[in-house]
């Protein structure tokens, strides 16, 4: 049975779980930035790789660290509909004492444009240089980090709050969405879209991987969710 990603996620074809925090807890500080740099080429920009201190999650009682972030245009997963969102941001984690060959946990956040969205480029930017024409340029010879990132800023907000919503998600077992498509990924895709101001859409595009993989069959896999209907 194939376990490929991405897939379409819907309330009616998923099962609510009673204790979602036993499965996943996200420990991203709300305003703390972390340093790193882009690793890719001029056309696709590739991954933002974190260096030094890394934020953590706990999956099934085991600690994982955030090692890579990348942006897709359009979204790969489709949530509660038939059309993709404008962007999807992936947060790739490996075990704290592991390496890239270990099973991974990936958090996915879908994005849409919104006139009322806070502008993200500035002192509290999710990626500080996104507003610059060369903001996602890659310098393989750079001796240190070239960018800073505030991971919590990527997430949708709780209702009537500036706090990130880490607790509303779909979960399933799947694969990488790029070569080698290895089936060793535990996916958590946020239920709600986050928003980006139209003035910054161009910056998101400049820092995105341009090719989104098509939807894959669910087969007999279970999809769980952390929220009610």
């Amino acid at each position: 049975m194939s376990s490929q990603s991405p897939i379409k996620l819907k309330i009616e074809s998923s099962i609510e779980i009673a204790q979602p925090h036993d499965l996943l807890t996200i420990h991203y500080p709300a305003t703390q930035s972390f340093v790193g740099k882009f690793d890719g080429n001029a056309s696709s920009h590739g991954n933002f790789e974190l260096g030094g201190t890394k934020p953590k999650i706990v999956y099934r009682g085991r600690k994982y660290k955030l090692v890579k972030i990348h942006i897709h245009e359009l979204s790969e997963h489709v949530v509660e509909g038939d059309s993709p969102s404008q962007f999807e941001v992936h947060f790739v984690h490996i075990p704290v004492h592991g390496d890239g060959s270990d099973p991974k946990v990936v958090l996915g956040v879908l994005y849409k444009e919104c006139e009322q969205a806070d502008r993200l480029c500035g002192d509290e930017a999710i990626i500080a240089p996104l507003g610059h024409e060369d903001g996602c340029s890659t310098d393989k010879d750079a001796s240190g980090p070239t960018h800073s990132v505030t991971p919590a800023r990527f997430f949708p907000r709780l209702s009537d709050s500036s706090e990130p919503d880490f607790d509303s998600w779909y979960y399933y077992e799947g694969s990488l969405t790029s070569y080698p498509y290895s089936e060793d990924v535990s996916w958590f895709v946020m239920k709600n879209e986050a928003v980006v101001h139209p003035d910054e859409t161009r910056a998101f595009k400049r820092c995105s991987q341009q090719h989104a993989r098509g939807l894959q069959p669910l087969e007999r896999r279970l999809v769980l969710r952390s929220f009610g209907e």
Side-chain angles (χ1 to χ4, degrees):
M1 180 179 69
S2 174
S3 297
Q4 290 291 296
S5 298
I7 62 172
K8 184 181 289 189
L9 297 160
K10 300 185 294 184
I11 288 179
E12 61 264 30
S13 58
S14 60
I15 300 170
E16 182 183 359
I17 56 176
Q19 301 293 333
H21 283 186
D22 289 349
L23 188 62
L24 174 72
T25 306
I26 300 172
H27 296 289
Y28 286 3
T31 59
Q32 184 176 350
S33 295
F34 300 85
V35 297
K37 61 183 177 180
F38 282 90
D39 178 19
N41 55 56
S43 61
S44 68
H45 301 301
N47 296 302
F48 177 79
E49 297 194 352
L50 279 80
T53 303
K54 300 174 177 63
K56 310 292 193 303
I57 64 172
V58 177
Y59 169 63
R60 295 188 183 275
R62 186 180 184 185
K63 288 185 179 180
Y64 285 70
K65 60 187 176 183
L66 177 63
V67 292
K68 293 182 181 181
I69 301 172
H70 55 265
I71 303 170
H72 284 277
E73 181 200 8
L74 301 162
S75 74
E76 298 194 303
H77 291 88
V78 172
V79 176
E80 291 304 324
D82 296 315
S83 301
S85 299
Q86 289 169 283
F87 301 97
E88 182 170 347
V89 181
H90 291 164
F91 300 79
V92 182
H93 304 76
I94 62 172
V96 166
H97 300 295
D99 57 35
S101 64
D102 284 299
K104 289 160 277 293
V105 177
V106 180
L107 311 182
V109 181
L110 278 58
Y111 258 81
K112 65 179 179 181
E113 283 187 358
C114 177
E115 290 281 356
Q116 286 72 47
D118 292 334
R119 286 170 173 80
L120 298 174
C121 296
D123 292 341
E124 295 293 331
I126 52 175
I127 298 177
L130 271 178
H132 300 278
E133 287 299 325
D134 61 349
C136 293
S137 62
T138 300
D139 184 356
K140 293 279 190 179
D141 298 324
S143 59
T146 58
H147 297 66
S148 62
V149 61
T150 308
R153 292 294 300 271
F154 281 98
F155 283 74
R157 305 289 103 182
L158 293 167
S159 298
D160 301 319
S161 172
S162 61
E163 294 298 312
D165 181 4
F166 292 141
D167 297 328
S168 302
W169 40 255
Y170 289 94
Y171 159 77
Y172 76 99
E173 291 295 319
S175 74
L176 295 175
T177 60
S178 58
Y179 184 81
Y181 306 107
S182 56
E183 296 179 351
D184 61 352
V185 180
S186 298
W187 278 97
F188 291 86
V189 180
M190 297 298 119
K191 169 195 174 187
N192 299 313
E193 289 178 311
V195 292
V196 62
H197 194 278
D199 289 350
E200 298 180 322
T201 299
R202 205 167 126 215
F204 258 59
K205 289 181 178 180
R206 202 161 47 242
C207 292
S208 69
Q209 294 181 319
Q210 298 298 316
H211 302 293
R213 192 185 191 196
L215 293 171
Q216 304 296 306
L218 179 60
E219 303 286 359
R220 298 179 184 176
R221 286 177 286 177
L222 288 176
V223 176
L224 306 181
R225 53 183 161 83
S226 63
F227 55 91
E229 295 188 25

